Amino acid sequence: MAIPDKNEPGSSLLQIQDLNVIYKTDEATVYAVNGISFELGRKETIGLVGETGAGKTTTALAIMRLLPEETGFIKGGEIRFQGEDLVKKSQPDMREIRGAKISMIFQDPMTSLNPIMPVGDQILESLEIHNSENLSKEDLNKRVDELLSLVGILPQRKKDFPHQFSGGMKQRIVIAIALACRPELLIADEPTTALDVTIQAQVLELMRELKEKLGTSMIMITHDLGVVAETCDKVAIMYAGRIVEAGSAEDVFEGEKHHPYTVGLFGSIPNLEEETDRLHPIDGLMPDPTDLPPGCPFHPRCKQCMDICREKMPEFYTSGEHRIACHLYTKGD
Amino acid sequence: MEPLIRTVNLKKYFDVSGGKLHAVDDVNITIPKGKTLGVVGESGCGKSTLGRTVLRLIEPTSGEVYFEGENITKASRGELKELRKKMQIIFQDPFSSLNPRMSVFDLIAEPLVTHHIYKHRADLTDRILELMEEVGLAERYVNSYPHEMDGGRRQRVGVARALALGPEFIVCDEPVSALDVSIQAQILNLLMDLQDNLGLTYMFITHDLSVVKHISDEIAVMYLGQCVEHCPTKELFANPMHPYTKALLSAIPVPKLRKNFTRKIIRGEVSTPIDPKPGCRFASRCDYCQAGCTGSDIPLKEYSPGHYVACPHCVELMEKKE
Ligand SMILES: Nc1ncnc2c1ncn2[C@@H]1O[C@H](COP(=O)(O)OP(=O)(O)OP(=O)(O)O)[C@@H](O)[C@H]1O
Ligand SMILES: Nc1ncnc2c1ncn2[C@@H]1O[C@H](COP(=O)(O)OP(=O)(O)OP(=O)(O)O)[C@@H](O)[C@H]1O
Ligand SMILES: [Mg+2]
Ligand SMILES: [Mg+2]
């Protein structure tokens, strides 16, 4: 592994280039991820944001190489992790990488919890696997208590089983397990959706610490732009399997130009200060991923749709790191 | 007028390795017909347990539940089966709440088939398509499976299932938490429209105050199994009185970049819900904790019409602020 400045913050850890993923079901082919590219440096956090069905989880599963065997396929592109293309790795190699270097917090906590093992033992198990400091059993047990407290669960409950916890508590236990692994890349798929704001703040602080202390890079999949604002260095907005806008957090939150979809997304957030009876979702639904429209995938819902948008897929308009795939900004060229 | 739902000193204790866990401890709520009660509070405070106990999906340890004035706490199996038609639940988790091996058709058909509502397959099919339309699910998804759909569409299936038997009361247990804002707004609007059209009564469980603000008439704030504040929604946002409610309101993340910003985190040990000591359960984390806060339980008290708070010092705190 001859990557020179390997531990330098910001040096590249993950490069995704033109990734395409499909699902083949009995009836149709689902075009879930359609040519996305992004890069993540060490100690960096990128937020993947987008409506349900945008392809966020699919992207994460592709990186982990955990797409459903019979139906999910990477159709093209590269996923370079520490310089090596994960797409070309064998499953046994991937198992090792998943154990040691990349870990994922799944959207559904029960995917990663063993229903018949006390939760404390599950955290302990993952600490034991990653025990590079050769801590004694006693110290490891202390660490279990610490991790549980950190996610707001009383250590005295470590002998209880997953079904004895609430939804949000299960999610927190999964987070504790993922953190116990001390991965280099942590993919968190909606890690705080079931958590109230006070516990969410605690968990996010914990993740920030992990980043500072261990230099962990993170992909934060979330629909909560508030969480993105607090934790992410970079943001990629996904729509129908594509990145429609990406850039630094400043670009996406404070930049002048935006993709109309990004504007809609910000507009649909319930506003606590405002008195309204109705909320303002973006009209219409995401297109059917088995039958994507020609041109820009957002055009059927776009208030600023032009003729060209119905015919031609827009290229990226770029300004520094900020990319926007919209004809509004590229039509001059 | 008799409220549609009323609980009296409702309790649910679970046996866990460390003792008796007080998940719901002496909760009294009422929900008038056609209205929505929002139930908020931190993860693990007992919201889902309260919802399920009200529906008798879980047996209460003690206390009573009234539905249309009738005590249903001791309802027999047969009576419960009839009640199920009137009381439904929508779950948070569109992943684990839908059987992955059942198609949309079968999922929506299940409650109708269980209750033998239709004799003819054609009537069943009509009703299913009608329900799909009602919840905004395109007909072509009728043969899809849950894993082939995104979270928003899965949740529409959950809503259609809950509506199938024409219920009067629905417990919505975090129905939008797993969804992105835009779809959240669509589902919330759907639930509000359905309420208007069908006269439904909701108990809306969430940890997200910005969501509950739009849909609830009244809000009950729970902390470790107890209701600590209860009042009309507008009043809660204008005059939050319990220190825990205030902390909840101030911790909402804002979709704006704020340099070097960290949200206020409630510090201090969480007290245990297992065989808890008498006294305010928030005391150990409360900045304003005083001598009278521990030792004996603190009941809800009406401070202004319809505004109930379980904090002996909340009035002083309000004055101090001004
Ligand atoms: N196993 C599968 N078989 C068929 N289609 C699938 C499968 N998994 C996902 N899809 C489809 O692929 C598309 C992308 O799904 P994905 O789960 O990646 O979205 P997401 O952005 O994570 O959405 P959410 O916010 O709901 O989690 C969706 O249209 C979805 O229905
Ligand atoms: N079957 C059970 N056995 C033992 N304890 C349980 C059981 N179900 C819930 N509990 C406990 O009861 C308490 C309340 O859980 P509940 O699921 O009602 O919380 P909640 O407010 O819905 O939380 P969340 O927001 O995370 O869903 C928790 O401490 C939980 O561990
Ligand atoms: Mg997902
Ligand atoms: Mg719950």
Side-chain angles (χ1 to χ4, degrees), chain B residues 192-253:
Chain B
M192 290 190 269
D193 290 344
L194 291 170
Q195 180 165 48
D196 288 346
N197 299 339
L198 307 172
L200 296 172
T201 306
Y202 293 139
M203 175 162 150
F204 197 98
I205 296 171
T206 178
H207 59 265
D208 187 341
L209 278 164
S210 52
V211 164
V212 87
K213 184 179 183 197
H214 288 272
I215 197 161
S216 312
D217 300 289
E218 294 199 349
I219 294 183
V221 180
M222 283 182 77
Y223 190 79
L224 284 185
Q226 298 177 322
C227 176
V228 296
E229 184 159 3
H230 180 188
C231 64
T233 305
K234 276 207 179 108
E235 170 72 6
L236 189 89
F237 283 88
N239 283 317
M241 288 178 79
H242 197 283
Y244 174 64
T245 311
K246 290 183 187 181
L248 257 190
L249 278 167
S250 72
I252 296 174

Side-chain angles (χ1 to χ4, degrees), chain A residues 166-168, chain B residues 43-44 46-49 52 92 173-174 205:
Chain A
S166 76
Chain B
S43 164
K47 304 180 295 294
S48 299
T49 306
R52 282 164 214 218
Q92 162 176 5
D173 191 355
E174 311 253 15
I205 296 171

Side-chain angles (χ1 to χ4, degrees), chain B residues 6-26:
Chain B
R6 187 158 64 92
T7 71
V8 179
N9 301 84
L10 196 62
K11 289 186 184 156
K12 178 63 196 180
Y13 297 171
F14 290 109
D15 288 315
V16 295
S17 60
K20 283 242 180 298
L21 190 149
H22 295 209
V24 171
D25 214 354
D26 230 346

Side-chain angles (χ1 to χ4, degrees), chain A residues 29-315:
Chain A
T29 303
V30 179
Y31 296 90
V33 171
N34 305 306
I36 67 167
S37 305
F38 66 86
E39 197 170 327
L40 184 66
R42 266 166 215 286
K43 252 184 146 162
E44 263 183 354
T45 302
I46 188 168
L48 282 190
V49 185
E51 264 172 308
T52 179
K56 307 179 296 290
T57 300
T58 304
T59 304
L61 292 179
I63 298 170
M64 296 288 283
R65 291 280 309 280
L66 285 176
L67 290 164
E69 241 169 70
E70 311 276 302
T71 49
F73 304 97
I74 296 178
K75 273 314 216 195
E78 283 181 0
I79 302 172
R80 290 201 166 270
F81 178 75
Q82 298 182 326
E84 293 185 61
D85 189 358
L86 298 184
V87 178
K88 299 208 177 75
K89 293 266 178 211
S90 67
Q91 277 302 343
D93 285 350
M94 273 315 294
R95 218 163 291 141
E96 225 157 85
I97 293 174
R98 280 196 298 263
K101 294 180 171 168
I102 311 180
S103 69
M104 177 156 169
I105 300 171
F106 288 90
Q107 213 166 349
D108 176 6
M110 281 319 287
T111 340
S112 1
L113 289 175
N114 179 345
I116 55 167
M117 191 181 197
V119 299
D121 291 357
Q122 301 192 40
I123 299 174
L124 184 67
E125 196 172 63
S126 127
L127 284 169
E128 278 169 346
I129 298 170
H130 302 275
N131 187 8
S132 52
E133 292 149 70
N134 280 315
L135 297 176
S136 67
K137 188 102 184 175
E138 200 181 321
D139 286 335
L140 288 177
N141 270 311
K142 263 199 216 126
R143 190 84 192 110
V144 170
D145 291 2
E146 268 170 40
L147 280 165
L148 280 172
S149 310
L150 279 170
V151 294
I153 291 174
L154 293 167
Q156 70 183 108
R157 297 204 58 189
K158 66 181 169 189
K159 294 205 182 72
D160 292 336
F161 292 88
H163 76 268
Q164 297 179 302
F165 292 91
S166 76
M169 293 168 106
K170 279 187 268 214
Q171 201 174 27
R172 285 181 270 157
I173 292 160
V174 170
I175 291 170
I177 294 173
L179 298 183
C181 302
R182 302 173 154 230
E184 292 179 49
L185 174 63
L186 177 62
I187 305 178
D189 196 355
E190 309 276 11
T192 60
T193 42
L195 305 183
D196 59 285
V197 285
T198 58
I199 287 173
Q200 183 185 64
Q202 237 161 283
V203 167
L204 294 179
E205 189 179 71
L206 194 69
M207 291 187 160
R208 266 193 296 267
E209 260 175 44
L210 192 74
K211 177 162 117 176
E212 288 310 315
K213 286 201 191 127
L214 302 175
T216 308
S217 307
M218 279 184 240
I219 299 180
M220 180 77 89
I221 298 178
T222 176
H223 57 257
D224 188 332
L225 288 161
V227 169
V228 174
E230 246 172 75
T231 53
C232 297
D233 308 295
K234 291 176 168 180
V235 185
I237 310 271
M238 286 186 73
Y239 188 80
R242 296 179 182 274
I243 291 179
V244 294
E245 176 166 350
S248 67
E250 282 82 12
D251 291 336
V252 175
F253 281 86
E254 291 167 354
E256 275 176 20
K257 297 197 168 93
H258 293 293
H259 195 282
Y261 176 65
T262 311
V263 176
L265 212 51
F266 274 90
S268 57
I269 302 173
N271 186 337
L272 271 183
E273 271 97 57
E274 209 181 302
E275 280 299 325
T276 47
D277 290 340
R278 301 291 293 182
L279 299 161
H280 308 285
I282 307 169
D283 287 337
L285 291 174
M286 176 116 51
D288 183 348
T290 60
D291 182 22
L292 291 168
C296 170
F298 187 59
H299 87 251
R301 297 168 77 184
C302 185
K303 292 215 171 76
Q304 287 161 283
C305 176
M306 304 171 290
D307 287 341
I308 183 170
C309 305
R310 297 191 187 91
E311 288 147 26
K312 192 166 163 268
M313 180 69 72
E315 304 281 316

